[in-house]
Amino acid sequence: MSGFLPVEAIAALSPQAQAMATAAQSLAGGTAAAEAPAATASTGGSFGQLVTDGLSKVNDQLISSQVDLQKLAVGDAQNLHQIMINLEESRVSFQLMMQVRNRLLEAYQDVMKMPI
């Protein structure tokens, strides 16, 4: 058994991921908007919004590459080179997202280890 999820499972995860992102946005937006509305207006958005936008962009790229793979499997692919480029872009963006997550977790753990 391989470590990859079938396309149907990835498509099923997308609504769950969107629901989680919406919940995170409402939690972050509720506290940040109440505390500093002027700060969010001047910076263009809160940290939670930036994370949500980044995750949605990576998710959109992954879904697009899965659609391209399905077209390739069926035989409807118009440009194989562009499909391979899109697949590589989505792979690199996913790896970047994972590295950012790892760095954020390390920073959080370092802050939690600090004495008060």
Side-chain angles (χ1 to χ4, degrees):
M1 185 170 179
S2 68
F4 296 106
L5 292 173
V7 175
E8 294 82 17
I10 292 173
L13 288 177
S14 177
Q16 293 173 348
Q18 290 174 355
M20 290 172 52
T22 304
Q25 180 182 4
S26 67
L27 288 175
T31 58
E35 292 175 4
T40 57
S42 65
T43 60
S46 66
F47 177 73
Q49 182 64 36
L50 291 174
V51 171
T52 302
D53 291 343
L55 287 174
S56 66
K57 287 179 184 177
V58 171
N59 187 36
D60 291 342
Q61 277 187 329
L62 289 172
I63 290 172
S64 174
S65 65
Q66 288 296 320
V67 169
D68 288 343
L69 278 177
Q70 287 177 344
K71 287 181 181 178
L72 181 64
V74 172
D76 292 338
Q78 299 297 325
N79 190 353
L80 178 63
H81 300 297
Q82 190 62 40
I83 290 173
M84 296 307 290
I85 290 170
N86 291 343
L87 285 172
E88 190 64 22
E89 285 178 353
S90 65
R91 185 186 69 84
V92 168
S93 65
F94 185 76
Q95 286 180 344
L96 174 66
M97 180 193 68
M98 293 303 294
Q99 290 299 321
V100 169
R101 180 198 69 120
N102 291 341
R103 298 297 170 135
L104 285 172
L105 282 174
E106 288 176 15
Y108 173 77
Q109 290 170 350
D110 289 343
V111 167
M112 294 308 290
K113 289 179 185 176
M114 288 181 184
I116 295 178

XYZ file of all heavy atoms in Angstrom:
846
model
N 0.851 -1.188 0.000
C 0.000 0.000 0.000
C 0.883 1.233 0.000
O 1.830 1.330 0.754
C -0.895 -0.029 1.228
C -1.875 1.075 1.260
S -3.052 0.750 2.590
C -4.020 2.183 2.405
N 0.584 2.173 -0.852
C 1.410 3.365 -0.972
C 1.001 4.416 0.057
O -0.055 4.357 0.656
C 1.291 3.941 -2.380
O -0.008 4.443 -2.569
N 1.869 5.412 0.225
C 1.620 6.480 1.176
C 0.798 7.609 0.597
O 0.548 8.599 1.251
N 0.365 7.502 -0.658
C -0.387 8.564 -1.304
C -1.876 8.343 -1.128
O -2.361 7.215 -1.138
C -0.058 8.622 -2.800
C 1.372 8.971 -3.076
C 2.260 8.021 -3.500
C 1.817 10.268 -2.890
C 3.569 8.335 -3.751
C 3.130 10.597 -3.133
C 4.010 9.627 -3.564
N -2.602 9.434 -0.982
C -4.046 9.363 -0.887
C -4.638 9.361 -2.289
O -4.126 10.023 -3.184
C -4.596 10.576 -0.136
C -4.273 10.667 1.343
C -4.744 12.015 1.875
C -4.932 9.556 2.103
N -5.711 8.625 -2.510
C -6.361 8.715 -3.813
C -6.968 10.100 -3.992
O -7.166 10.852 -3.048
C -7.435 7.634 -3.751
C -7.615 7.311 -2.330
C -6.343 7.654 -1.630
N -7.267 10.426 -5.226
C -7.785 11.752 -5.551
C -9.093 12.015 -4.814
O -9.341 13.132 -4.357
C -7.984 11.875 -7.084
C -8.634 13.191 -7.445
C -6.661 11.723 -7.786
N -9.922 10.998 -4.642
C -11.184 11.180 -3.946
C -10.955 11.565 -2.492
O -11.670 12.389 -1.935
C -12.044 9.901 -4.007
C -12.524 9.549 -5.394
C -11.476 8.804 -6.208
O -10.503 8.279 -5.647
O -11.629 8.771 -7.436
N -9.941 10.975 -1.865
C -9.649 11.308 -0.472
C -9.129 12.734 -0.347
O -9.475 13.456 0.587
C -8.636 10.328 0.106
N -8.319 13.167 -1.288
C -7.812 14.542 -1.259
C -8.959 15.521 -1.474
O -9.038 16.553 -0.816
C -6.702 14.728 -2.310
C -5.481 13.910 -1.904
C -6.327 16.192 -2.464
C -4.384 13.887 -2.934
N -9.859 15.190 -2.375
C -11.006 16.060 -2.612
C -11.904 16.126 -1.385
O -12.492 17.163 -1.094
C -11.793 15.576 -3.822
N -12.003 15.019 -0.644
C -12.817 15.008 0.568
C -12.155 15.817 1.680
O -12.837 16.375 2.529
C -13.056 13.572 1.029
N -10.832 15.887 1.677
C -10.138 16.653 2.702
C -10.286 18.155 2.483
O -10.202 18.925 3.423
C -8.648 16.294 2.712
C -8.280 14.926 3.265
C -6.796 14.706 3.145
C -8.728 14.777 4.701
N -10.491 18.561 1.262
C -10.566 19.985 0.959
C -11.668 20.701 1.736
O -11.396 21.741 2.327
C -10.749 20.185 -0.542
O -10.899 21.537 -0.840
N -12.907 20.208 1.802
C -13.917 20.912 2.599
C -13.569 20.937 4.083
O -13.837 21.915 4.765
C -15.203 20.120 2.347
C -14.987 19.407 1.075
C -13.515 19.139 1.004
N -12.942 19.863 4.578
C -12.535 19.847 5.974
C -11.471 20.899 6.228
O -11.513 21.605 7.239
C -12.009 18.471 6.364
C -13.061 17.393 6.367
C -12.467 16.015 6.604
O -11.262 15.829 6.552
N -13.330 15.053 6.861
N -10.512 21.010 5.316
C -9.463 22.009 5.478
C -10.041 23.415 5.413
O -9.633 24.305 6.157
C -8.390 21.817 4.413
N -11.008 23.618 4.520
C -11.636 24.932 4.421
C -12.429 25.255 5.679
O -12.430 26.393 6.147
C -12.535 24.992 3.199
C -11.769 24.990 1.899
C -12.674 24.912 0.690
O -13.882 24.775 0.820
N -12.087 25.001 -0.491
N -13.092 24.264 6.257
C -13.841 24.493 7.491
C -12.904 24.844 8.641
O -13.193 25.734 9.445
C -14.669 23.262 7.839
N -11.756 24.153 8.700
C -10.773 24.455 9.742
C -10.198 25.855 9.551
O -9.989 26.588 10.510
C -9.665 23.405 9.743
C -10.120 22.046 10.243
S -8.918 20.733 10.055
C -7.470 21.411 10.798
N -9.923 26.225 8.308
C -9.381 27.558 8.043
C -10.397 28.635 8.401
O -10.037 29.677 8.952
C -8.973 27.672 6.585
N -11.668 28.383 8.123
C -12.711 29.340 8.466
C -12.834 29.485 9.977
O -12.973 30.606 10.491
C -14.064 28.904 7.870
O -13.901 28.739 6.466
C -15.153 29.915 8.154
N -12.755 28.368 10.689
C -12.824 28.415 12.148
C -11.627 29.166 12.724
O -11.771 29.978 13.641
C -12.888 27.003 12.719
N -10.442 28.911 12.175
C -9.244 29.613 12.649
C -9.338 31.097 12.357
O -8.937 31.937 13.161
C -8.000 29.015 12.004
N -9.878 31.428 11.193
C -10.021 32.831 10.822
C -11.011 33.535 11.749
O -10.768 34.666 12.164
C -10.490 32.946 9.382
C -10.665 34.362 8.911
C -11.171 34.425 7.483
O -11.453 33.396 6.880
N -11.290 35.607 6.952
N -12.099 32.870 12.096
C -13.081 33.508 12.970
C -12.525 33.690 14.373
O -12.778 34.702 15.013
C -14.375 32.702 13.001
O -14.161 31.451 13.631
N -11.733 32.717 14.844
C -11.119 32.864 16.156
C -10.075 33.975 16.157
O -10.035 34.807 17.052
C -10.468 31.547 16.590
C -11.413 30.424 16.967
C -10.637 29.159 17.264
C -12.249 30.821 18.169
N -9.227 33.989 15.154
C -8.188 35.015 15.081
C -8.793 36.373 14.788
O -8.366 37.383 15.342
C -7.166 34.650 14.012
N -9.773 36.419 13.921
C -10.391 37.690 13.552
C -11.177 38.311 14.687
O -11.207 39.522 14.837
N -11.795 37.483 15.515
C -12.597 37.998 16.616
C -11.757 38.694 17.666
O -12.109 39.754 18.160
N -10.605 38.138 18.017
C -9.767 38.753 19.038
C -8.926 39.878 18.463
O -8.761 40.909 19.085
C -8.850 37.705 19.689
O -8.055 37.099 18.665
C -9.646 36.653 20.413
N -8.397 39.690 17.270
C -7.528 40.721 16.691
C -8.328 41.952 16.305
O -7.864 43.072 16.464
C -6.798 40.162 15.464
N -9.525 41.757 15.792
C -10.339 42.896 15.375
C -10.789 43.709 16.588
O -10.896 44.928 16.505
C -11.549 42.420 14.577
N -11.033 43.053 17.705
C -11.464 43.763 18.887
C -10.315 44.531 19.529
O -10.518 45.594 20.111
C -12.061 42.775 19.900
N -9.096 44.019 19.416
C -7.960 44.637 20.089
C -7.359 45.778 19.295
O -7.048 46.821 19.847
C -6.893 43.585 20.384
C -7.338 42.575 21.419
C -6.320 41.467 21.619
O -5.241 41.534 21.009
O -6.619 40.552 22.366
N -7.122 45.564 17.970
C -6.416 46.582 17.200
C -6.955 46.682 15.777
O -6.349 46.182 14.852
C -4.932 46.265 17.183
N -8.079 47.341 15.587
C -8.597 47.454 14.229
C -7.728 48.334 13.345
O -7.620 48.108 12.153
C -9.996 48.043 14.417
C -9.992 48.673 15.763
C -8.969 47.929 16.571
N -7.094 49.360 13.900
C -6.251 50.240 13.100
C -4.987 49.525 12.638
O -4.501 49.756 11.532
C -5.882 51.482 13.901
N -4.451 48.653 13.462
C -3.229 47.929 13.098
C -3.490 46.965 11.950
O -2.667 46.839 11.042
C -2.688 47.168 14.300
N -4.619 46.290 11.946
C -4.908 45.361 10.856
C -5.194 46.100 9.568
O -4.882 45.616 8.499
C -6.098 44.445 11.199
O -7.225 45.251 11.510
C -5.777 43.527 12.359
N -5.762 47.274 9.657
C -6.040 48.044 8.447
C -4.745 48.561 7.824
O -4.619 48.607 6.611
C -6.971 49.202 8.765
N -3.783 48.933 8.656
C -2.538 49.482 8.114
C -1.622 48.398 7.576
O -0.879 48.631 6.630
C -1.813 50.299 9.188
O -1.401 49.446 10.244
N -1.636 47.197 8.153
C -0.750 46.136 7.688
C -1.372 45.319 6.575
O -0.688 44.555 5.932
C -0.359 45.196 8.838
O -1.545 44.606 9.383
C 0.404 45.934 9.916
N -2.648 45.424 6.352
C -3.283 44.698 5.267
C -3.901 43.388 5.709
O -4.453 42.670 4.910
N -3.833 43.020 6.961
C -4.452 41.802 7.438
C -3.730 41.261 8.646
O -2.600 41.632 8.946
N -4.376 40.374 9.334
C -3.767 39.788 10.518
C -2.936 38.577 10.135
O -2.967 38.101 8.993
C -4.861 39.380 11.500
O -5.630 38.326 10.944
N -2.186 38.092 11.089
C -1.348 36.923 10.860
C -2.210 35.718 10.499
O -1.869 34.946 9.601
C -0.514 36.625 12.106
C 0.335 35.398 11.978
C 1.461 35.414 11.179
C 0.006 34.231 12.640
C 2.252 34.287 11.041
C 0.787 33.107 12.514
C 1.910 33.133 11.718
N -3.336 35.577 11.176
C -4.237 34.467 10.877
C -4.756 34.515 9.458
O -4.885 33.492 8.788
N -5.044 35.724 8.982
C -5.527 35.885 7.614
C -4.427 35.531 6.616
O -4.699 34.908 5.586
C -6.018 37.315 7.390
C -6.587 37.560 6.015
C -7.834 36.742 5.748
O -8.636 36.524 6.645
N -8.004 36.286 4.529
N -3.199 35.938 6.901
C -2.088 35.601 6.015
C -1.877 34.094 5.924
O -1.646 33.545 4.846
C -0.805 36.283 6.495
C -0.756 37.798 6.357
C 0.511 38.352 6.995
C -0.832 38.206 4.901
N -1.971 33.423 7.071
C -1.808 31.966 7.081
C -2.945 31.304 6.316
O -2.721 30.388 5.516
C -1.733 31.444 8.533
C -1.790 29.934 8.589
C -0.466 31.951 9.206
N -4.150 31.775 6.533
C -5.311 31.217 5.837
C -5.192 31.398 4.334
O -5.461 30.467 3.559
C -6.602 31.878 6.344
O -6.694 31.679 7.753
C -7.814 31.277 5.673
N -4.754 32.582 3.907
C -4.586 32.830 2.475
C -3.500 31.936 1.881
O -3.669 31.388 0.785
C -4.234 34.297 2.224
C -5.389 35.235 2.526
O -6.538 34.754 2.624
O -5.124 36.445 2.673
N -2.398 31.784 2.603
C -1.314 30.926 2.115
C -1.750 29.480 1.989
O -1.445 28.804 0.997
N -2.461 28.996 2.999
C -2.947 27.617 2.946
C -3.933 27.410 1.806
O -3.912 26.373 1.134
C -3.596 27.234 4.278
C -2.654 27.005 5.446
C -3.448 26.766 6.729
C -1.710 25.853 5.174
N -4.794 28.385 1.587
C -5.770 28.227 0.503
C -5.085 28.245 -0.862
O -5.486 27.511 -1.767
C -6.850 29.296 0.581
O -6.296 30.570 0.333
N -4.029 29.051 -1.017
C -3.298 29.065 -2.285
C -2.603 27.735 -2.542
O -2.644 27.206 -3.657
C -2.273 30.200 -2.298
C -2.885 31.566 -2.444
C -1.827 32.650 -2.425
C -2.458 34.021 -2.467
N -1.438 35.088 -2.385
N -1.973 27.177 -1.504
C -1.317 25.879 -1.656
C -2.357 24.802 -1.955
O -2.149 23.944 -2.813
C -0.496 25.529 -0.400
C 0.010 24.100 -0.443
C 0.679 26.490 -0.252
N -3.489 24.866 -1.267
C -4.552 23.894 -1.499
C -5.078 23.992 -2.928
O -5.315 22.975 -3.584
C -5.680 24.108 -0.497
C -6.724 23.027 -0.566
O -6.427 21.868 -0.798
N -7.969 23.422 -0.369
N -5.256 25.220 -3.423
C -5.723 25.405 -4.800
C -4.729 24.831 -5.803
O -5.120 24.211 -6.803
C -5.966 26.880 -5.096
C -7.158 27.435 -4.340
O -7.992 26.627 -3.862
O -7.249 28.673 -4.212
N -3.427 25.029 -5.543
C -2.404 24.476 -6.437
C -2.438 22.951 -6.428
O -2.321 22.315 -7.479
C -1.008 24.938 -6.023
C -0.626 26.288 -6.539
C 0.820 26.615 -6.238
O 1.369 26.174 -5.239
N 1.419 27.409 -7.104
N -2.595 22.366 -5.250
C -2.645 20.901 -5.160
C -3.876 20.342 -5.869
O -3.791 19.328 -6.570
C -2.616 20.460 -3.699
C -1.293 20.659 -2.973
C -1.452 20.359 -1.488
C -0.216 19.775 -3.571
N -5.005 20.994 -5.709
C -6.222 20.534 -6.383
C -6.075 20.671 -7.892
O -6.459 19.776 -8.650
C -7.452 21.308 -5.864
C -7.746 20.891 -4.422
C -8.664 21.077 -6.747
C -8.806 21.721 -3.744
N -5.494 21.773 -8.342
C -5.280 21.983 -9.772
C -4.353 20.918 -10.348
O -4.598 20.392 -11.445
C -4.700 23.372 -10.011
O -4.353 23.537 -11.351
N -3.308 20.577 -9.623
C -2.391 19.545 -10.119
C -3.058 18.174 -10.131
O -2.788 17.367 -11.023
C -1.106 19.521 -9.294
O -1.374 19.142 -7.963
N -3.952 17.918 -9.171
C -4.679 16.654 -9.184
C -5.619 16.573 -10.382
O -5.755 15.514 -11.003
C -5.464 16.475 -7.877
C -4.607 16.185 -6.678
C -3.885 14.865 -6.807
O -4.433 13.879 -7.288
N -2.636 14.846 -6.391
N -6.254 17.678 -10.715
C -7.126 17.708 -11.894
C -6.305 17.465 -13.156
O -6.712 16.713 -14.052
C -7.887 19.047 -11.963
C -8.593 19.218 -13.301
C -8.879 19.148 -10.823
N -5.121 18.098 -13.228
C -4.247 17.877 -14.376
C -3.811 16.418 -14.474
O -3.744 15.858 -15.574
C -3.013 18.782 -14.290
C -3.336 20.235 -14.561
O -4.419 20.510 -15.122
O -2.501 21.096 -14.217
N -3.526 15.798 -13.335
C -3.153 14.381 -13.344
C -4.304 13.507 -13.816
O -4.090 12.522 -14.540
C -2.695 13.939 -11.950
C -1.260 14.242 -11.580
C -0.978 13.818 -10.145
C -0.301 13.553 -12.528
N -5.517 13.846 -13.406
C -6.672 13.081 -13.867
C -6.851 13.215 -15.373
O -7.136 12.239 -16.064
C -7.937 13.546 -13.151
C -8.024 13.105 -11.713
C -9.267 13.643 -11.030
O -9.908 14.575 -11.517
N -9.588 13.072 -9.883
N -6.664 14.423 -15.888
C -6.757 14.630 -17.331
C -5.678 13.836 -18.062
O -5.926 13.276 -19.137
C -6.636 16.111 -17.667
C -7.842 16.929 -17.308
C -7.641 18.377 -17.690
C -8.834 19.220 -17.301
N -8.613 20.641 -17.643
N -4.485 13.801 -17.490
C -3.391 13.048 -18.096
C -3.706 11.558 -18.107
O -3.464 10.868 -19.102
C -2.088 13.312 -17.340
C -0.842 12.613 -17.862
C -0.498 13.112 -19.258
C 0.318 12.840 -16.912
N -4.281 11.050 -17.021
C -4.611 9.627 -16.940
C -5.704 9.247 -17.933
O -5.691 8.152 -18.497
C -5.053 9.273 -15.521
N -6.650 10.148 -18.152
C -7.742 9.879 -19.077
C -7.292 10.040 -20.522
O -7.817 9.416 -21.423
C -8.946 10.804 -18.749
C -10.029 10.696 -19.795
C -9.493 10.495 -17.385
N -6.292 10.884 -20.735
C -5.801 11.114 -22.084
C -6.235 12.449 -22.655
O -6.114 12.680 -23.849
N -6.763 13.321 -21.812
C -7.230 14.626 -22.269
C -6.179 15.718 -22.117
O -6.488 16.898 -22.263
C -8.483 15.047 -21.481
C -9.672 14.173 -21.809
O -9.666 13.556 -22.886
O -10.601 14.119 -20.984
N -4.957 15.345 -21.806
C -3.909 16.343 -21.567
C -3.504 17.010 -22.869
O -3.237 16.354 -23.870
C -2.706 15.681 -20.915
N -3.469 18.338 -22.859
C -3.083 19.102 -24.039
C -1.576 19.344 -24.075
O -0.962 19.272 -25.127
C -3.819 20.446 -24.062
C -5.329 20.330 -24.120
C -5.806 19.660 -25.400
O -5.217 19.843 -26.459
N -6.860 18.864 -25.288
N -0.991 19.640 -22.918
C 0.408 20.008 -22.871
C 1.069 19.291 -21.697
O 0.914 19.700 -20.543
C 0.537 21.527 -22.732
C 1.951 22.011 -22.908
O 2.884 21.221 -23.003
N 2.107 23.319 -22.947
N 1.808 18.247 -21.971
C 2.447 17.453 -20.926
C 3.477 18.272 -20.165
O 3.599 18.144 -18.944
C 3.097 16.210 -21.530
C 3.842 15.302 -20.561
C 2.882 14.728 -19.539
C 4.556 14.200 -21.311
N 4.200 19.119 -20.860
C 5.226 19.924 -20.209
C 4.624 20.865 -19.167
O 5.160 21.007 -18.069
C 6.024 20.728 -21.245
C 6.722 19.881 -22.244
N 7.712 18.985 -21.896
C 6.582 19.771 -23.582
C 8.157 18.371 -22.972
N 7.480 18.830 -24.022
N 3.523 21.501 -19.508
C 2.886 22.414 -18.565
C 2.341 21.664 -17.359
O 2.399 22.164 -16.234
C 1.768 23.203 -19.259
C 1.217 24.334 -18.434
C 2.269 25.379 -18.123
O 3.087 25.723 -18.969
N 2.271 25.870 -16.904
N 1.823 20.474 -17.564
C 1.330 19.661 -16.454
C 2.476 19.315 -15.518
O 2.352 19.426 -14.286
C 0.637 18.387 -16.971
C -0.674 18.753 -17.659
C 0.377 17.400 -15.835
C -1.357 17.597 -18.342
N 3.614 18.933 -16.067
C 4.759 18.588 -15.226
C 5.289 19.811 -14.479
O 5.681 19.716 -13.308
C 5.869 17.957 -16.064
C 5.470 16.626 -16.692
S 4.833 15.429 -15.495
C 6.307 15.041 -14.612
N 5.271 20.957 -15.121
C 5.703 22.191 -14.455
C 4.757 22.529 -13.307
O 5.190 22.879 -12.201
C 5.800 23.348 -15.470
C 6.977 23.118 -16.405
C 5.932 24.695 -14.757
C 7.020 24.059 -17.595
N 3.454 22.412 -13.543
C 2.471 22.684 -12.490
C 2.617 21.713 -11.323
O 2.471 22.108 -10.165
C 1.056 22.624 -13.051
C 0.760 23.758 -14.000
O 1.466 24.764 -14.026
N -0.275 23.597 -14.808
N 2.878 20.443 -11.630
C 3.082 19.458 -10.566
C 4.298 19.813 -9.717
O 4.265 19.715 -8.483
C 3.255 18.057 -11.155
C 2.007 17.374 -11.672
C 2.370 16.087 -12.401
C 1.070 17.088 -10.530
N 5.369 20.216 -10.357
C 6.577 20.575 -9.625
C 6.360 21.838 -8.788
O 6.826 21.919 -7.653
C 7.742 20.763 -10.592
C 9.076 20.905 -9.920
C 9.513 19.680 -9.148
O 9.038 18.571 -9.417
O 10.353 19.843 -8.253
N 5.640 22.815 -9.333
C 5.342 24.023 -8.572
C 4.510 23.712 -7.340
O 4.765 24.247 -6.256
C 4.612 25.039 -9.443
C 5.487 25.754 -10.432
C 4.708 26.716 -11.316
O 3.456 26.735 -11.242
O 5.361 27.443 -12.078
N 3.525 22.850 -7.484
C 2.694 22.499 -6.331
C 3.486 21.703 -5.305
O 3.311 21.883 -4.100
C 1.450 21.740 -6.773
O 1.787 20.502 -7.344
N 4.408 20.852 -5.764
C 5.242 20.091 -4.832
C 6.154 21.015 -4.039
O 6.273 20.898 -2.820
C 6.078 19.058 -5.584
C 6.899 18.136 -4.681
C 7.811 17.228 -5.484
N 8.882 17.961 -6.133
C 10.029 18.302 -5.532
N 10.223 17.993 -4.271
N 10.963 18.959 -6.197
N 6.758 21.978 -4.722
C 7.670 22.907 -4.053
C 6.906 23.806 -3.078
O 7.377 24.059 -1.963
C 8.444 23.737 -5.099
C 9.181 24.888 -4.462
C 9.417 22.848 -5.851
N 5.723 24.273 -3.469
C 4.945 25.125 -2.564
C 4.485 24.338 -1.339
O 4.455 24.881 -0.230
C 3.762 25.751 -3.288
O 2.844 24.767 -3.691
N 4.151 23.059 -1.510
C 3.772 22.240 -0.364
C 4.964 22.026 0.562
O 4.820 22.098 1.788
C 3.212 20.899 -0.835
C 2.698 20.043 0.287
C 1.484 20.324 0.887
C 3.429 18.959 0.751
C 1.004 19.552 1.926
C 2.965 18.184 1.793
C 1.742 18.476 2.384
N 6.137 21.777 0.002
C 7.337 21.620 0.823
C 7.660 22.909 1.574
O 8.057 22.868 2.744
C 8.529 21.200 -0.026
C 8.476 19.757 -0.460
C 9.682 19.375 -1.299
O 10.412 20.217 -1.809
N 9.888 18.074 -1.438
N 7.492 24.047 0.919
C 7.718 25.325 1.583
C 6.745 25.505 2.738
O 7.139 25.926 3.835
C 7.571 26.477 0.590
C 7.655 27.881 1.191
C 9.047 28.152 1.732
C 7.263 28.911 0.160
N 5.481 25.176 2.516
C 4.493 25.283 3.572
C 4.863 24.400 4.763
O 4.762 24.819 5.917
C 3.106 24.887 3.053
C 2.016 24.968 4.097
S 0.490 24.162 3.618
C 0.973 22.454 3.593
N 5.341 23.196 4.494
C 5.734 22.292 5.584
C 6.943 22.833 6.337
O 7.026 22.720 7.565
C 6.020 20.892 5.035
C 4.785 20.184 4.499
S 3.463 20.029 5.714
C 4.212 18.930 6.875
N 7.891 23.435 5.646
C 9.061 24.010 6.307
C 8.670 25.211 7.170
O 9.189 25.370 8.285
C 10.121 24.408 5.279
C 10.794 23.235 4.622
C 11.537 22.361 5.629
O 12.158 22.851 6.563
N 11.455 21.062 5.430
N 7.763 26.033 6.676
C 7.287 27.167 7.472
C 6.581 26.660 8.717
O 6.781 27.178 9.824
C 6.370 28.080 6.627
C 5.650 29.105 7.487
C 7.174 28.764 5.546
N 5.759 25.630 8.559
C 5.068 25.047 9.717
C 6.062 24.520 10.731
O 5.923 24.746 11.936
C 4.145 23.912 9.261
C 3.400 23.259 10.420
C 2.872 21.915 9.995
N 3.968 20.990 9.786
C 4.114 19.852 10.465
N 3.240 19.500 11.355
N 5.135 19.066 10.218
N 7.099 23.826 10.251
C 8.106 23.284 11.167
C 8.828 24.397 11.918
O 9.081 24.282 13.119
C 9.103 22.429 10.398
C 8.487 21.149 9.880
O 7.439 20.705 10.353
N 9.112 20.552 8.880
N 9.156 25.470 11.209
C 9.842 26.599 11.865
C 8.939 27.276 12.890
O 9.399 27.683 13.961
C 10.313 27.625 10.832
C 11.301 27.097 9.843
C 12.577 26.663 10.513
N 13.403 25.948 9.569
C 14.685 26.149 9.422
N 15.311 27.013 10.187
N 15.362 25.453 8.539
N 7.667 27.422 12.565
C 6.738 28.019 13.516
C 6.583 27.148 14.760
O 6.523 27.664 15.877
C 5.377 28.250 12.860
C 5.288 29.419 11.897
C 3.950 29.410 11.180
C 5.501 30.732 12.617
N 6.527 25.837 14.570
C 6.434 24.945 15.725
C 7.685 25.015 16.591
O 7.599 25.020 17.819
C 6.200 23.504 15.257
C 4.781 23.168 14.836
C 4.718 21.759 14.266
C 3.832 23.304 15.997
N 8.857 25.077 15.956
C 10.095 25.205 16.711
C 10.124 26.509 17.501
O 10.529 26.535 18.667
C 11.299 25.143 15.781
C 11.578 23.768 15.225
C 12.723 23.774 14.226
O 13.477 24.780 14.169
O 12.873 22.785 13.499
N 9.702 27.600 16.877
C 9.676 28.890 17.563
C 8.697 28.866 18.733
O 8.996 29.368 19.829
C 9.302 30.000 16.585
N 7.535 28.253 18.529
C 6.547 28.141 19.604
C 7.106 27.320 20.766
O 6.969 27.694 21.923
C 5.264 27.494 19.068
C 4.260 27.192 20.136
C 3.479 28.205 20.684
C 4.070 25.898 20.607
C 2.549 27.943 21.666
C 3.147 25.622 21.592
C 2.386 26.649 22.128
O 1.477 26.370 23.103
N 7.774 26.221 20.454
C 8.357 25.383 21.501
C 9.450 26.127 22.255
O 9.570 26.009 23.477
C 8.879 24.079 20.925
C 7.768 23.160 20.462
C 8.267 21.962 19.663
O 9.434 21.907 19.292
N 7.372 21.024 19.396
N 10.246 26.925 21.553
C 11.288 27.717 22.206
C 10.687 28.756 23.142
O 11.194 28.964 24.240
C 12.178 28.410 21.162
C 13.071 27.434 20.420
O 13.260 26.292 20.902
O 13.586 27.815 19.344
N 9.611 29.389 22.700
C 8.956 30.381 23.553
C 8.360 29.709 24.779
O 8.439 30.243 25.901
C 7.873 31.154 22.754
C 6.975 31.963 23.661
C 8.535 32.031 21.714
N 7.782 28.539 24.607
C 7.172 27.843 25.746
C 8.218 27.344 26.751
O 7.907 27.175 27.924
C 6.311 26.669 25.253
C 5.099 27.096 24.447
S 4.074 28.343 25.266
C 3.386 27.399 26.580
N 9.443 27.129 26.306
C 10.506 26.674 27.203
C 11.144 27.816 27.992
O 11.868 27.570 28.941
C 11.593 25.960 26.396
C 11.162 24.618 25.866
C 12.274 23.980 25.053
C 11.815 22.690 24.421
N 12.855 22.108 23.558
N 10.877 29.053 27.581
C 11.467 30.198 28.266
C 10.897 30.338 29.670
O 9.698 30.190 29.887
C 11.173 31.488 27.495
C 11.919 31.636 26.236
S 11.477 33.233 25.489
C 12.371 33.110 23.978
N 11.785 30.636 30.634
C 11.270 30.871 31.993
C 10.570 32.231 32.078
O 10.922 33.166 31.358
C 12.529 30.874 32.852
C 13.633 31.205 31.919
C 13.233 30.697 30.578
N 9.612 32.302 32.947
C 8.855 33.553 33.088
C 9.527 34.471 34.073
O 10.083 34.168 35.017
C 7.409 33.276 33.528
C 6.726 32.515 32.400
C 6.676 34.548 33.834
C 5.311 32.121 32.703
